[in-house]
C-alpha cells in the first residue's frame, strides 16, 4: 500500500476511491477484505484521511503519511542501499532507559534500525554515517538520556569485525539473493497481469530490503555482496516498467480533488 501511495498519490492533492485500491491490488491477488482492512488500519494510525463524495468513500494522504513516503522515496530511489562514497564517519549512540519505558525503548530501536544503526550491545548503537539524531528521536522525550558522538574509528578497531558484530549480514545477504532469484531474469514474474502488478511487487519487495539494510560501506562488505547486483537489476526494471505502470495506474484510478 505504501508503494502504491508513494508512486501514484504522493505529490497530488487528491483522495482516491476505495474501489480503485481494490482494483489495483486485485492484480496482485489481494482480496477486497484485506484492502479495506488495510485502509481502515491506516486511517486509525493517522496515515490516511477519509473523504466522502456522495455515497463513495475516498482516501487521501495525511501530512504524516506524506513525510513517510518522501523519506521512503529518498531511501529507495535516490540513496539506495549501497554506501559507495563513505567518508569514514561513524555515529555512536548510547542510552539507558528505565524498564518502565518499554514502549519508548521499542520505538527508539525501530527508529535507529530505520536510520541504519546496529547494536553493539549494552545500549550502544553505531551507524556508518553522520546521523541527525535530534531529528530522528524527536517526540520521544529523550532529552538528557542519550549520548551521541561522531567521528572516525581509530586503531586498533577492526572495522569489518565491528560490522559483523553490530549487523547481522547473513539475513541481509539472503534477502538480496532472494530478490535476485525472482527478478534477475529476462521475463520476471511472467504470470503477473501487467506492468503495474510487476512494478508494485518489485518496488514493495525492494522497500522491505531497504527497511532492513543499514547501507553499510561497500569497502567493508564481503566480496560479491549481492545488493550491488540487486540495485542494478532494480533500476533496469524500473526503466522498463515505470512508464507503462503509471499509465495503467492513472487510467484505473478514480479521484476527487482536495
Amino acid at each position: 500500500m505504501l508503494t502504491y501511495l508513494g508512486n501514484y498519490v504522493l505529490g497530488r492533492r487528491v483522495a482516491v476511491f476505495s474501489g480503485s485500491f481494490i482494483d489495483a491490488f486485485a492484480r496482485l491477488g489481494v482480496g477486497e477484505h484485506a484492502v479495506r482492512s488495510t485502509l481502515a488500519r491506516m486511517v486509525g494510525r493517522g496515515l490516511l484521511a477519509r473523504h466522502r463524495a456522495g455515497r463513495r468513500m475516498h482516501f487521501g494522504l495525511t501530512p504524516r503519511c506524506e513525510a513517510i513516503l518522501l523519506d521512503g522515496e529518498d531511501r529507495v530511489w535516490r540513496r539506495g542501499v549501497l554506501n559507495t562514497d563513505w567518508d569514514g564517519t561513524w555515529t555512536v549512540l548510547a542510552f539507558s532507559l528505565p524498564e518502565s519505558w518499554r514502549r519508548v525503548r521499542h520505538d527508539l530501536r525501530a527508529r535507529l534500525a530505520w536510520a541504519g544503526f546496529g547494536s553493539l550491545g549494552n545500549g550502544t548503537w553505531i551507524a556508518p554515517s553522520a546521523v541527525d539524531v535530534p531529528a530522528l528521536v524527536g517526540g520521544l522525550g529523550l532529552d538528557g538520556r542519550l549520548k551521541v558522538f561522531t567521528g572516525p574509528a581509530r586503531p586498533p578497531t577492526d572495522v569489518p569485525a565491528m560490522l559483523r558484530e553490530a549487523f547481522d549480514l547473513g539475513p541481509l545477504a539472503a534477502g538480496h539473493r532472494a530478490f535476485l532469484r525472482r527478478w534477475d531474469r529476462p521475463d520476471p514474474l511472467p504470470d503477473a497481469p501487467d506492468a503495474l502488478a510487476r512494478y508494485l511487487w518489485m518496488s514493495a519487495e525492494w522497500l522491505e530490503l531497504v527497511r532492513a539494510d543499514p547501507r553499510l560501506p561497500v569497502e567493508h562488505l564481503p566480496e560479491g555482496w549481492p545488493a550491488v547486483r540487486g540495485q542494478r537489476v532494480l533500476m533496469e526494471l524500473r526503466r522498463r516498467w515505470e512508464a507503462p505502470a503509471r499509465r495503467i495506474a492513472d487510467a484505473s484510478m478514480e479521484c476527487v480533488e482536495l
Side-chain angles (χ1 to χ4, degrees), residues 111-183:
R111 295 191 191 189
L112 291 175
W114 172 247
F117 280 86
S119 175
L120 289 175
N122 298 318
T124 301
W125 292 63
I126 60 171
S129 60
V131 179
D132 184 355
V133 173
L136 177 65
V137 303
L140 293 181
L142 294 175
D143 290 351
R145 294 186 176 273
L146 302 180
K147 299 177 179 65
V148 182
F149 310 88
T150 59
R154 299 296 185 188
T157 305
D158 184 336
V159 172
M162 184 170 65
L163 288 179
R164 291 193 298 271
E165 181 181 354
F167 303 96
D168 195 348
L169 300 184
L172 284 177
H176 286 294
R177 292 191 185 102
F179 180 88
L180 289 172
R181 284 194 297 272
R182 187 190 303 275
W183 301 104

Side-chain angles (χ1 to χ4, degrees), residues 2-258:
L2 289 172
T3 299
Y4 180 86
L5 295 170
N7 278 305
Y8 306 118
V9 183
L10 182 64
R12 303 171 62 187
R13 309 310 302 173
V14 299
V16 181
F17 172 47
S18 59
S20 298
F21 290 105
I22 292 167
D23 291 344
F25 285 94
R27 291 175 157 83
L28 300 171
V30 180
E32 178 177 345
H33 176 73
V35 174
R36 291 191 184 277
S37 295
T38 299
L39 293 171
R41 287 198 303 272
M42 294 183 74
V43 170
R45 294 174 58 189
L47 298 173
L48 293 177
R50 290 188 176 96
H51 300 270
R52 185 175 292 279
R55 299 180 62 182
R56 294 192 165 196
M57 187 63 69
H58 297 67
F59 295 84
L61 305 180
T62 64
R64 179 183 174 216
C65 190
E66 289 179 346
I68 291 172
L69 294 175
L70 286 169
D71 184 45
E73 183 179 66
D74 180 65
R75 289 280 299 270
V76 172
W77 300 118
R78 296 187 183 90
R79 296 176 60 206
V81 297
L82 301 176
N83 190 343
T84 57
D85 55 356
W86 186 52
D87 64 1
T89 298
W90 292 88
T91 298
V92 181
L93 181 147
F95 68 88
S96 178
L97 302 180
E99 184 61 29
S100 59
W101 287 37
R102 187 172 302 174
R103 176 64 181 274
V104 175
R105 186 186 296 109
H106 172 79
D107 290 346
L108 173 60
R109 288 171 174 166
R111 295 191 191 189
L112 291 175
W114 172 247
F117 280 86
S119 175
L120 289 175
N122 298 318
T124 301
W125 292 63
I126 60 171
S129 60
V131 179
D132 184 355
V133 173
L136 177 65
V137 303
L140 293 181
L142 294 175
D143 290 351
R145 294 186 176 273
L146 302 180
K147 299 177 179 65
V148 182
F149 310 88
T150 59
R154 299 296 185 188
T157 305
D158 184 336
V159 172
M162 184 170 65
L163 288 179
R164 291 193 298 271
E165 181 181 354
F167 303 96
D168 195 348
L169 300 184
L172 284 177
H176 286 294
R177 292 191 185 102
F179 180 88
L180 289 172
R181 284 194 297 272
R182 187 190 303 275
W183 301 104
D184 191 11
R185 54 181 63 195
D187 184 24
L189 219 63
D191 295 333
D194 52 36
L196 176 59
R198 293 185 180 91
Y199 193 63
L200 283 174
W201 194 305
M202 178 193 69
S203 301
E205 190 169 330
W206 186 258
L207 178 59
E208 287 301 303
L209 292 174
V210 169
R211 288 170 62 89
D213 196 303
R215 200 169 181 266
L216 301 174
V218 172
E219 65 200 76
H220 291 302
L221 289 170
E223 187 175 354
W225 188 247
V228 176
R229 175 65 184 166
Q231 187 158 288
R232 189 177 304 126
V233 168
L234 174 82
M235 300 309 291
E236 290 171 356
L237 293 178
R238 184 193 190 194
R239 286 190 289 270
R240 185 195 304 184
W241 292 332
E242 183 179 28
R246 180 168 293 279
R247 286 194 293 269
I248 295 168
D250 289 346
S252 61
M253 185 184 296
E254 183 178 333
C255 306
V256 293
E257 298 290 333
L258 297 178

